[in-house]
Amino acid sequence: MKTKITLLTISATLLLTACGQVERSSTETTSPPTPAAREEAQQPYVCLLTKSKGVDSMAKKRANGEGNIRKRSDGRWEGRYTAGYNAETGKRITKNVWGKTQAEGKAKRAAAMEATKGVDVSRADEYTVATWLRSWYDIYAKPNVRVATADRDHLMIEQYTIPRIGNIKLAKLAAHDLQKLYKELMESGRTNRKSGHGNPGLSSTTVRSLHLMLHNALNRAVKERLILRNPTEDCIAPKVQKFEMQILQPEHIKTYLDAADKRGLLPMFYLELVSGLRKGELTALLWSDLDITDKTISVSKQYVKNPNGELTLSRPKTETSVRKVSIPQEAVDLLVAEHKRHPNNPYMFPSPITGEMYYPDSIVNLHKKILKDAGLPHIRFHDLRHTFATLALQNGVDVKTVSSMLGHYDAGFTLRTYTHATRQKQDEAAQTMGGFMAQVM
């Protein structure tokens, strides 16, 4: 094996100490040196330091930020590394990891150092899940979405998310924490009442909406270099459970409207069945929204309830929800007659008690009373909207027209939602094609 030879000329005393060849006892240090020894110490010596191939005689200097690892008194191995520098003071930010073995400690340190690349550690440590979500809501969400969406986000942050995972450090939030959150909410997330399907948990639709909100909030955290990766990317969002759509059956419509008429509510519920308006859109209608000549109503606003139970006037659900809806002459006549009952009131359907607009949930309760008076099975008020769409499609109205009347953002969504309604037309199309093929064969 080839060796490298280093010649060091030093005094005998320093040489023997450096090379470790002489160990002086306590008695030797106290004995005076002889003249011969004194003379020998003045002579130059040559020390041979060898370096074998692959073995370094000196400790390798660590790269900047590489950190170190040591064994603790409790037997664990602690790895320390530089995670970054404080933007204000310039001081080094040091972090620690621990492992049961030296190899595990080194591996964890390497992984932690890799994870800090691209992350502003000095700011990331400031946030918990709670403080980040509140900051994101105030700065990014609330100013840029409609009131109803902002209220929904606020509810999901404060009522569903923060009480369960709000104390977790933002940088430590993992997909496992979010998946556990979704499971808990699906099982027992409803705090005020059980759902209509007897489940104390939130619906899959609500939990999926929460997942999408968290995805947006954590995407912003990635862009601001607070976390390296969005943990929602590794989550399995709940699939939306679809329930069989219910409608007011055609043979029940006359009975239903007769019961509404006895309560003095025929114009409101007749309009609902021929237009499919959302309840917030229906209650927000003004007399000025009716165009008697063109037989249309203008839908440009809706009343919604915020988390505090207060009514708020806002734009409809989507931009396509701002629309003009054509209505039959019979509906126009009923609305004109309704307005004559309160000619000085700006609302299309004012409450007979307050003279103000109806509370949206109040017309839901009126709907329930009408069903009870008529002896009809229970369906939701929203199912009257489904009734309009289903019957329109089954009676030959094209899907694009129905979609625009409902205020849907996309005709494809309407088609997917009301596939059952087009089954009859598909059967008719099959018969038509069957007749055609019989003629040509």
Side-chain angles (χ1 to χ4, degrees):
M1 181 182 299
K2 292 183 178 181
T3 61
K4 292 183 178 179
I5 301 176
T6 304
L7 301 180
L8 300 178
T9 304
I10 56 177
S11 67
T13 304
L14 296 176
L15 172 66
L16 295 176
T17 302
C19 296
Q21 301 300 312
V22 175
E23 293 184 4
R24 296 184 177 183
S25 65
S26 59
T27 57
E28 290 177 325
T29 58
T30 58
S31 300
T34 64
R38 188 180 297 112
E39 181 180 353
E40 182 181 4
Q42 303 301 321
Q43 300 300 317
Y45 274 74
V46 176
C47 178
L48 301 181
L49 298 180
T50 65
K51 179 181 179 183
S52 300
K53 186 178 182 180
V55 179
D56 198 344
S57 62
M58 301 293 289
K60 181 182 178 182
K61 185 178 180 181
R62 291 187 300 272
N64 184 34
E66 181 178 310
N68 56 33
I69 188 164
R70 68 182 182 90
K71 191 172 185 179
R72 294 164 49 94
S73 59
D74 60 6
R76 293 184 299 168
W77 287 84
E78 177 187 13
R80 305 185 69 192
Y81 63 97
T82 300
Y85 296 86
N86 188 291
E88 295 181 358
T89 66
K91 291 183 178 180
R92 186 191 305 267
I93 300 174
T94 303
K95 289 185 174 290
N96 301 37
V97 293
W98 294 271
K100 293 181 180 179
T101 64
Q102 185 179 26
E104 182 182 357
K106 286 183 176 180
K108 286 187 174 181
R109 184 187 63 183
M113 291 172 64
E114 182 65 27
T116 60
K117 292 180 179 179
V119 175
D120 186 351
V121 180
S122 63
R123 292 180 57 234
D125 285 347
E126 297 176 5
Y127 292 101
T128 62
V129 171
T131 55
W132 171 248
L133 287 180
R134 285 169 176 154
S135 176
W136 169 81
Y137 174 79
D138 288 337
I139 298 173
Y140 295 104
K142 188 177 180 179
N144 298 303
V145 297
R146 62 191 184 90
V147 174
T149 302
D151 290 341
R152 183 201 62 186
D153 288 347
H154 185 267
L155 175 70
M156 291 193 290
I157 289 171
E158 297 295 339
Q159 185 168 325
Y160 301 147
T161 308
I162 288 179
R164 292 172 174 83
I165 63 171
N167 291 331
I168 298 176
K169 283 284 189 180
L170 179 63
K172 298 290 185 182
L173 182 65
H176 175 78
D177 301 314
L178 296 174
Q179 206 69 57
K180 183 180 177 182
L181 170 68
Y182 301 160
K183 181 176 181 293
E184 290 179 358
L185 292 175
M186 293 280 287
E187 291 176 349
S188 57
R190 191 173 293 275
T191 57
N192 296 327
R193 59 185 176 83
K194 292 185 178 181
S195 70
H197 301 284
N199 183 357
L202 298 177
S203 69
S204 57
T205 302
T206 300
V207 178
R208 190 174 183 87
S209 295
L210 181 139
H211 166 77
L212 294 175
M213 180 206 70
L214 290 175
H215 178 80
N216 291 336
L218 295 173
N219 256 357
R220 172 50 57 180
V222 172
K223 291 178 180 179
E224 295 200 9
R225 299 175 59 225
L226 299 177
I227 55 177
L228 187 66
R229 191 169 186 274
N230 189 335
T232 61
E233 299 286 355
D234 300 319
C235 291
I236 301 175
K239 293 183 178 179
V240 176
Q241 297 176 347
K242 293 185 178 181
F243 299 95
E244 183 178 355
M245 186 177 293
Q246 294 181 306
I247 66 169
L248 184 63
Q249 297 300 321
E251 60 270 22
H252 294 159
I253 290 179
K254 185 178 186 307
T255 303
Y256 178 86
L257 291 178
D258 286 345
D261 191 18
K262 290 179 181 178
R263 286 183 171 270
L265 298 170
L266 179 60
M268 177 189 291
F269 287 93
Y270 185 92
L271 177 64
E272 175 61 28
L273 284 170
V274 298
S275 65
L277 298 182
R278 301 177 180 94
K279 64 181 180 181
E281 296 171 342
L282 184 66
T283 57
L285 285 177
L286 301 175
W287 171 246
S288 58
D289 291 325
L290 173 65
D291 187 323
I292 297 176
T293 303
D294 290 342
K295 294 181 287 188
T296 63
I297 53 172
S298 176
V299 182
S300 59
K301 53 198 172 298
Q302 65 174 353
Y303 272 103
V304 294
K305 183 173 63 175
N306 64 24
N308 297 325
E310 301 168 341
L311 284 178
T312 306
L313 185 65
S314 70
R315 290 178 67 81
K317 194 171 183 180
T318 62
E319 287 303 316
T320 52
S321 294
V322 178
R323 62 201 188 276
K324 285 187 178 293
V325 179
S326 296
I327 59 176
Q329 183 62 51
E330 292 79 2
V332 174
D333 295 340
L334 285 171
L335 294 177
V336 170
E338 171 69 17
H339 184 63
K340 289 179 179 179
R341 296 170 55 189
H342 40 77
N344 297 320
N345 197 303
Y347 292 108
M348 183 82 75
F349 304 113
S351 167
I353 299 175
T354 66
E356 300 294 325
M357 59 153 279
Y358 269 107
Y359 197 76
D361 285 346
S362 295
I363 64 171
V364 174
N365 292 331
L366 291 174
H367 163 71
K368 292 177 180 179
K369 291 177 181 179
I370 292 171
L371 288 174
K372 185 177 180 181
D373 293 347
L376 297 175
H378 172 74
I379 61 171
R380 302 171 305 163
F381 177 84
H382 194 74
D383 292 327
L384 297 181
R385 177 174 167 87
H386 294 325
T387 300
F388 160 75
T390 299
L391 297 180
L393 290 169
Q394 289 179 346
N395 283 278
V397 182
D398 66 274
V399 67
K400 188 172 180 60
T401 299
V402 173
S403 180
S404 64
M405 293 181 73
L406 291 172
H408 284 168
Y409 66 90
D410 175 38
F413 173 79
T414 308
L415 189 60
R416 291 189 299 272
T417 303
Y418 298 102
T419 301
H420 67 283
T422 60
R423 173 57 57 186
Q424 176 182 329
K425 289 300 177 183
Q426 291 180 31
D427 291 341
E428 292 176 2
Q431 293 175 6
T432 300
M433 288 303 299
F436 171 76
M437 294 302 291
Q439 295 177 2
V440 299
M441 290 181 66

